Amino acid sequence: MPPIPGSGLAKGLAVTLRTMTRKTVTAQYPEVQPELPPRSRGVIGLFEENCTVCMLCARECPDWCIYIDSHKETVPPAAPGGRERSRNVLDRFAIDFSLCMYCGICIEVCPFDALFWSPEFEYAETDIHELTHERDKLRAWMWTVPEPPALDPGAEEPKEIAAARRTAEKQAAQRAQAAPDSTADKTDQKGGNP
């Protein structure tokens, strides 16, 4: 049976009428903030205290959008007779978000957990040169980073934490064992035992 002429038009109009009667789902963005997933990728926050200026993030960045400047500073010896040490001090840490492709490689390769994803996404500028954000702005975004999700209660304990706990328990047992010995020595010195 051949199709009835105009049946496609009638089906299209039926879909349009059905859609017109439904409530709209458009988010009125500037007035209503969107609900983002907790670990969404917005911008990169810098926790400056953890940065050792190892330059791994800048070297691994495929877009070369991370700029780091530092200088060496001499630190006095920690103990008398020790030698002076030198350490890098961070002078500039900037990310050019006009070049960044939000791959997250810099965050993954950071061995000291100095970079984190922040859910902030409202950082548009009128001039492209203002999309290079310096460390003070990156640090301000750090405080918007959400807490990591809680571990699964049924998961096994991480190896690092288990090893640290065993070491702490071993040291506590050694101290507890050494404490009665030291009290026995004190009583011997006072003349309590012949």
Side-chain angles (χ1 to χ4, degrees):
M1 177 168 172
I4 300 171
S7 64
L9 179 63
K11 287 180 184 176
L13 287 173
V15 169
T16 303
L17 288 173
R18 239 186 348 258
T19 306
M20 285 175 54
T21 59
R22 292 186 189 150
K23 185 175 179 181
T24 60
V25 292
T26 304
Q28 304 299 322
Y29 164 63
E31 292 81 27
V32 179
Q33 293 293 321
E35 291 184 22
L36 299 172
R39 303 300 287 173
S40 61
R41 293 183 176 192
V43 292
I44 297 168
L46 170 68
F47 192 55
E48 198 172 325
E49 287 80 6
N50 287 358
C51 184
T52 60
V53 196
C54 65
M55 308 286 276
L56 273 175
C57 55
R59 281 184 286 188
E60 295 296 325
C61 179
D63 293 333
W64 292 84
C65 65
I66 300 175
Y67 309 111
I68 301 175
D69 291 331
S70 67
H71 68 277
K72 290 209 181 266
E73 201 172 81
T74 304
V75 178
R83 65 183 182 113
E84 292 182 337
R85 306 264 180 190
S86 66
R87 67 180 183 107
N88 285 330
V89 177
L90 185 66
D91 292 329
R92 179 182 186 223
F93 193 105
I95 299 176
D96 187 353
F97 285 102
S98 65
L99 296 175
C100 182
M101 65 179 180
Y102 304 91
C103 63
I105 292 174
C106 57
I107 295 169
E108 291 174 17
V109 300
C110 182
F112 301 104
D113 288 334
L115 298 173
F116 295 90
W117 281 118
S118 168
E120 293 294 314
F121 63 93
E122 296 176 317
Y123 57 95
E125 301 288 346
T126 55
D127 185 12
I128 195 168
H129 298 294
E130 294 175 7
L131 280 173
T132 301
H133 294 293
E134 298 292 332
R135 69 183 187 180
D136 56 343
K137 184 72 172 176
L138 299 175
R139 181 164 180 86
W141 282 328
M142 181 60 207
W143 307 122
T144 63
V145 173
E147 289 287 323
L151 296 176
D152 183 16
E156 68 179 56
E157 191 175 33
K159 295 175 188 172
E160 297 85 3
I161 295 175
R165 184 182 40 75
R166 283 194 301 270
T167 304
E169 289 171 355
K170 187 177 178 182
Q171 289 175 350
Q174 288 173 349
R175 276 190 240 117
Q177 189 178 25
D181 294 341
S182 64
T183 56
D185 292 343
K186 287 180 184 176
T187 55
D188 287 342
Q189 292 171 356
K190 290 181 180 178
N193 289 341

